[in-house]
Amino acid sequence: MNVSRESSENGEIVLRLEVEDELFNRHMTAAVRRVAQRVNIPGFRKGKAPRAILQNFVGKEYLVEETMESLVPEAVGNAVRDEEIIPFAPPRVNIEQSEPPVTILATVPLIPSVELAEYRSIRYDDEPEPVTDEAVDNLLMYIRRNQAYSVPVERAVQESDIVAIDIKMAADDEVIWDFEDREFQINTDVNDYGEIIVGVNQGIIGMSAGEEKEFSFPVSEDADTPQLAGKTARVNVALKGVSEEMVPELDDAMVIETGIPDVETVEQLTAHVRDQQEQIAERTVVTSVEGKLFDELIEASEFAISPIVVEHEGRRALEQIVRRRLAMEGKSTQQITADDVSEEDVNFANESAEREIKQRLVLDRLVEAEDIEVTDDEATAEIEQWNSANTAEDQKLEDNDQTRESVKSFVRRRRTIEKVVRMARGMDDAPEEQSD
């Protein structure tokens, strides 16, 4: 078989194969035998009809197609092996001529690679947002309200009260809600509750236990509930009871009730809340810098990724995307059909797959360049920490050589990301030249 390289770029190699007649004839003979065993030709026992009769019966094109089914994988496989190519995914094959001399074009996707852009001089000036006293006070109030309790009252409903009601809501003769003995807290903050809940709550404020009321309110076109969007909501409410929320004072006794380890005083709780918020602010900056750093490196680096690889990886992403959308629409995800998949789904899946491949390549190259060492003892400590946090037996990790190597790889990648992010923030001194 004569094999020539047509091109070698874009993360793939294109091979032109000229198959010798002997190989074609061998596969044609085998194809004739297979087809003869599948068809019934009048006047002949199955499998005994002469080749010429069989060809007249099923057609020459059918026999050639059957021949290609076995010839192409063998020919392409032999060519890839003889050329010492390591494919990353199955080659894409185009049969240029299916009869002697058979010619085949095979596009072989290679392992994706990257020439990483210089990264050690990249700097960002992102700083954590300062934690204000107001933010701390709001969180302390949130903690207090988590310890709140309710007391029945004999008065009209006010903001923040807890009400027990029967409620029915309709629009255009369609019943949207029909609940009995429903209990919830009155809140008129649209940002927290949304316009429909707030519309209901505003209608309930001022009612007293035992009272029934009918009211309505307009709903905007962009409301979260499609059945009500752009319509008038008609509400019937029977108020059964009113309770007032009692928020405990912020004192040491309440602090102890929270059950936060090593926090027993108001001063300690305040410091704990501030520290938690500072950690969140720091994590927000780290996440932001990490995202910008990878975006910049992906944009500036040179990649060699075959489109076949992107499509191959994209098919996995596509299934997840479609299943997730069908589940959100309340449809079955057991059997995905072509009608369930749009061109937009395919494009989004391929874009996501390409981004993931590039990010993985960049990270692998960073890990290689930084060459951070992780010891056996550190891997064992990671395994012990994981097992202490995951008590279910099927989630525990077995401490053996294979697990330790996997954990080492995970920790090495995590520490590499942490290091390059610190470097990008100017928090680590970096060598002047980037190692290869």
Side-chain angles (χ1 to χ4, degrees):
M1 181 169 58
N2 183 28
V3 180
S4 60
R5 297 198 179 198
E6 294 290 297
S7 64
S8 181
E9 57 185 14
N10 201 27
E12 58 191 24
I13 294 175
V14 180
L15 301 177
R16 178 180 293 277
L17 287 60
E18 295 181 3
V19 180
E20 64 270 19
D21 292 354
E22 180 184 353
L23 182 61
F24 174 83
N25 291 332
R26 175 161 59 83
H27 279 273
M28 173 62 86
T29 300
V32 168
R33 286 198 299 268
R34 290 195 302 272
V35 172
Q37 293 296 327
R38 295 201 299 262
V39 299
N40 292 311
I41 300 177
F44 297 92
R45 286 183 296 166
K46 185 175 288 189
K48 297 301 182 180
R51 175 171 172 174
I53 299 295
L54 178 67
Q55 181 170 307
N56 287 334
F57 189 78
V58 300
K60 184 179 180 180
E61 289 184 359
Y62 184 86
L63 291 178
V64 171
E65 288 178 7
E66 183 76 20
T67 300
M68 293 298 107
E69 288 289 328
S70 58
L71 183 150
V72 170
E74 180 180 332
V76 173
N78 289 342
V80 170
R81 184 189 65 246
D82 293 344
E83 293 293 313
E84 298 182 341
I85 299 172
I86 301 176
F88 185 77
R92 178 173 293 160
V93 175
N94 178 35
I95 302 172
E96 290 192 321
Q97 185 165 309
S98 57
E99 295 189 60
V102 173
T103 55
I104 301 169
L105 275 184
T107 304
V108 186
L110 305 177
I111 298 172
S113 62
V114 60
E115 184 178 335
L116 186 63
E118 199 285 321
Y119 65 91
R120 298 192 176 196
S121 62
I122 295 176
R123 293 291 181 271
Y124 302 106
D125 58 3
D126 301 49
E127 293 293 338
E129 289 288 334
V131 177
T132 64
D133 292 341
E134 181 183 4
V136 173
D137 290 342
N138 288 339
L139 282 165
L140 290 173
M141 175 56 74
Y142 176 80
I143 293 172
R144 289 173 61 195
R145 296 194 73 166
N146 278 344
Q147 302 292 323
Y149 56 94
S150 60
V151 175
V153 292
E154 295 183 2
R155 57 165 173 75
V157 177
Q158 300 176 2
E159 179 89 11
S160 298
D161 282 348
I162 298 167
V163 296
I165 61 172
D166 293 342
I167 183 170
K168 180 179 289 187
M169 180 190 293
D172 294 343
D173 298 326
E174 179 185 2
V175 176
I176 312 299
W177 291 356
D178 191 358
F179 303 129
E180 294 183 354
D181 294 323
R182 183 58 56 95
E183 187 174 275
F184 63 90
Q185 190 168 28
I186 298 298
N187 189 306
T188 56
D189 188 331
V190 174
N191 292 328
D192 285 345
Y193 278 54
E195 64 169 305
I196 295 173
I197 298 295
V198 168
V200 172
N201 288 349
Q202 289 173 333
I204 294 174
I205 289 177
M207 293 181 65
S208 299
E211 182 181 350
E212 296 186 8
K213 183 179 181 181
E214 183 177 338
F215 59 92
S216 63
F217 58 91
V219 180
S220 67
E221 293 284 354
D222 57 354
D224 292 338
T225 305
Q227 302 99 310
L228 289 170
K231 301 178 181 179
T232 297
R234 300 192 316 278
V235 185
N236 289 281
V237 173
L239 184 63
K240 295 187 170 183
V242 184
S243 297
E244 182 179 353
E245 181 186 49
M246 305 299 291
V247 180
E249 292 296 323
L250 181 60
D251 54 24
D252 292 351
M254 189 224 76
V255 171
I256 292 173
E257 288 296 318
T258 65
I260 300 174
D262 302 321
V263 175
E264 298 179 348
T265 67
V266 173
E267 182 179 356
Q268 290 174 339
L269 178 61
T270 304
H272 172 78
V273 167
R274 184 175 296 277
D275 179 64
Q276 292 291 308
Q277 289 306 296
E278 288 174 347
Q279 290 183 36
I280 291 173
E282 172 65 14
R283 285 197 297 271
T284 300
V285 170
V286 168
T287 300
S288 173
V289 170
E290 180 184 332
K292 290 194 294 187
L293 177 62
F294 274 88
D295 284 344
E296 186 167 338
L297 288 176
I298 287 173
E299 182 68 26
S301 299
E302 294 292 332
F303 296 91
I305 306 173
S306 167
I308 298 174
V309 172
V310 174
E311 292 176 16
H312 184 267
E313 297 292 307
R315 282 193 290 271
R316 302 180 188 178
L318 179 62
E319 182 176 354
Q320 295 177 353
I321 290 168
V322 174
R323 287 188 186 280
R324 191 181 303 118
R325 192 190 68 241
L326 291 177
M328 292 178 63
E329 295 173 355
K331 298 178 181 178
S332 173
T333 61
Q334 296 299 316
Q335 188 71 32
I336 298 177
T337 67
D339 292 337
D340 297 321
V341 182
S342 67
E343 184 178 352
E344 184 179 12
D345 290 331
V346 175
N347 292 337
F348 182 77
N350 287 342
E351 289 171 5
S352 300
E354 184 173 7
R355 166 75 189 196
E356 184 176 342
I357 294 168
K358 289 181 176 180
Q359 185 156 324
R360 190 165 60 235
L361 288 171
V362 167
L363 179 54
D364 288 344
R365 187 67 182 85
L366 288 171
V367 169
E368 180 184 344
E370 292 302 322
D371 194 24
I372 295 175
E373 181 182 359
V374 180
T375 66
D376 283 341
D377 289 343
E378 289 172 325
T380 298
E382 286 280 338
I383 293 172
E384 291 174 352
Q385 182 177 354
W386 171 270
N387 288 341
S388 65
N390 296 272
T391 56
E393 286 301 320
D394 61 345
Q395 293 181 333
K396 289 184 178 294
L397 299 176
E398 184 178 349
D399 190 354
N400 54 38
D401 291 343
Q402 182 177 357
T403 303
R404 275 195 298 274
E405 286 305 311
S406 178
V407 169
K408 280 183 181 181
S409 177
F410 171 79
V411 174
R412 190 176 295 113
R413 294 165 76 87
R414 184 185 70 201
R415 291 183 181 176
T416 298
I417 294 174
E418 291 170 353
K419 181 176 180 179
V420 296
V421 167
R422 288 196 306 271
M423 194 184 301
R425 296 177 67 190
M427 300 171 67
D428 269 3
D429 292 331
E432 293 184 1
E433 294 185 2
Q434 179 176 335
S435 60
D436 293 327

